Amino acid sequence: MKISASGRGELVVMADDPSVHSARRKVERANKHIADLDRACFAFFDDYRVSAQHYAEPGTHKVRLVDDISVPDDIALLAGDAIHNLRSALDHLAWQLVLVSGNSPTRQTGFPIFQTPEEYERESGRKVKGMREEIKKAIRLCNPYKGGNDGLWALHELNNFDKHRLLFVVVSAFDRIGFEFVGQPIQWNDMGKARGLKVGDIIFTTFGRIPDQKIHFHFEIAFREPEIVQGKPLTPTLQGMSDLMSNIISDFSPFFA
């Protein structure tokens, strides 16, 4: 592929036939980062034993966290790499959609994602310039703004944050508590809530006497980005975003037939 700049600021592209190949490769690269991230999270919990202190008060039994559980930077870096590739996949798609429309992309070409529907209507034109009208309509039907398609919006916002700082990730206690009785399998109770942890937090309270059993707690690494993905588990959330990107690319594939 050769690229040269025109006097109007357009990027004149001479390329092979337009396709979704590069967008799919970006998603594949993101999936590799997600797999590496999953292994890094597993290794973190394998190497770092979360320590808790059991103590009793009148009528209650509590478990308090006593060790620091800071997440290493490498985990946030891997998450950022995955997010960047997923967001880039959409811009690769937009680039190819201009080419398949018979036009040349510009420096503004990209897959438009905005904060509000009003901002989308006002600002998206520069990003989809050169695309056929039916393609522009298909993009608009994706509702790529907050409240329309929150998966797209969250991906866009996380990518913007990662350009300037590491993403905030923390160890969270998911209220999935297991009780192991002597000679019996662990019985898990899943309460479906998540919360970030810090030293001194009470992670379990029960009233009355604890029977002779071991208590197990389920921990995960989660996002701590308020108003975007607060408290959501890291790798499942990223895998969901990857699946969303793959579906969008597939939805636009007929334009290249």
Side-chain angles (χ1 to χ4, degrees), residues 20-37:
V20 296
H21 174 73
S22 65
R24 290 197 188 281
R25 289 304 306 271
K26 280 288 187 177
V27 175
E28 289 171 7
R29 187 65 180 177
N31 286 337
K32 181 181 184 303
H33 288 307
I34 294 170
D36 291 342
L37 177 63

Side-chain angles (χ1 to χ4, degrees), residues 12-253:
V12 180
V13 180
M14 300 182 64
D16 296 329
D17 291 337
S19 75
V20 296
H21 174 73
S22 65
R24 290 197 188 281
R25 289 304 306 271
K26 280 288 187 177
V27 175
E28 289 171 7
R29 187 65 180 177
N31 286 337
K32 181 181 184 303
H33 288 307
I34 294 170
D36 291 342
L37 177 63
D38 194 48
R39 285 189 289 269
C41 291
F42 181 83
F44 170 73
F45 285 118
D46 192 48
D47 293 339
Y48 192 101
R49 300 297 179 184
V50 176
S51 297
Q53 176 187 49
H54 295 247
Y55 68 98
E57 292 180 349
T60 65
H61 182 93
K62 298 183 179 182
V63 180
R64 183 191 301 276
L65 191 71
V66 296
D67 280 352
D68 178 46
I69 47 176
S70 299
V71 179
D73 289 345
D74 284 353
I75 287 179
L77 289 167
L78 282 168
D81 289 344
I83 287 165
H84 173 71
N85 277 278
L86 291 174
R87 183 62 183 91
S88 295
L90 290 174
D91 288 336
H92 277 239
L93 176 63
W95 182 280
Q96 297 297 319
L97 288 169
V98 174
L99 291 179
V100 82
S101 298
N103 294 305
S104 295
T106 73
R107 300 186 194 282
Q108 299 293 318
T109 297
F111 197 96
I113 303 175
F114 291 97
Q115 187 78 11
T116 64
E118 293 77 17
E119 187 178 6
Y120 177 86
E121 295 299 331
R122 186 173 65 249
E123 302 290 342
S124 64
R126 57 188 170 84
K127 291 187 170 292
V128 300
K129 181 181 178 181
M131 297 180 191
R132 300 198 305 267
E133 287 304 314
E134 61 265 33
I135 294 176
K136 294 178 183 179
K137 181 179 179 180
I139 291 176
R140 188 180 296 109
L141 289 174
C142 291
N143 299 319
Y145 43 79
K146 184 179 182 181
N149 190 319
D150 286 339
L152 284 177
W153 174 79
L155 174 66
H156 180 71
E157 289 295 296
L158 289 172
N159 185 57
N160 285 339
F161 277 128
D162 186 66
K163 291 177 183 178
H164 303 97
R165 61 162 172 79
L166 290 179
L167 296 171
F168 291 141
V169 293
V170 295
V171 173
S172 281
F174 283 70
D175 287 348
R176 190 166 181 253
I177 302 170
F179 299 95
E180 183 179 359
F181 297 88
V182 177
Q184 297 183 17
I186 300 174
Q187 299 177 13
W188 288 97
N189 293 330
D190 194 347
M191 306 300 290
K193 289 173 55 180
R195 51 196 170 89
L197 292 176
K198 61 182 182 299
V199 173
D201 279 352
I202 302 295
I203 58 177
F204 177 68
T205 301
T206 188
F207 298 96
R209 181 177 175 275
I210 293 290
D212 293 332
Q213 59 190 355
K214 295 180 180 178
I215 305 175
H216 302 261
F217 301 96
H218 176 60
F219 297 97
E220 285 202 52
I221 296 177
F223 283 104
R224 197 193 69 188
E225 293 289 352
E227 300 180 6
I228 304 175
V229 282
Q230 174 80 349
K232 291 187 178 181
L234 197 59
T235 52
T237 299
L238 292 177
Q239 191 58 60
M241 290 179 172
S242 175
D243 294 342
L244 175 61
M245 297 310 104
S246 294
N247 289 337
I248 288 175
I249 293 168
S250 294
D251 288 345
F252 281 86
S253 294

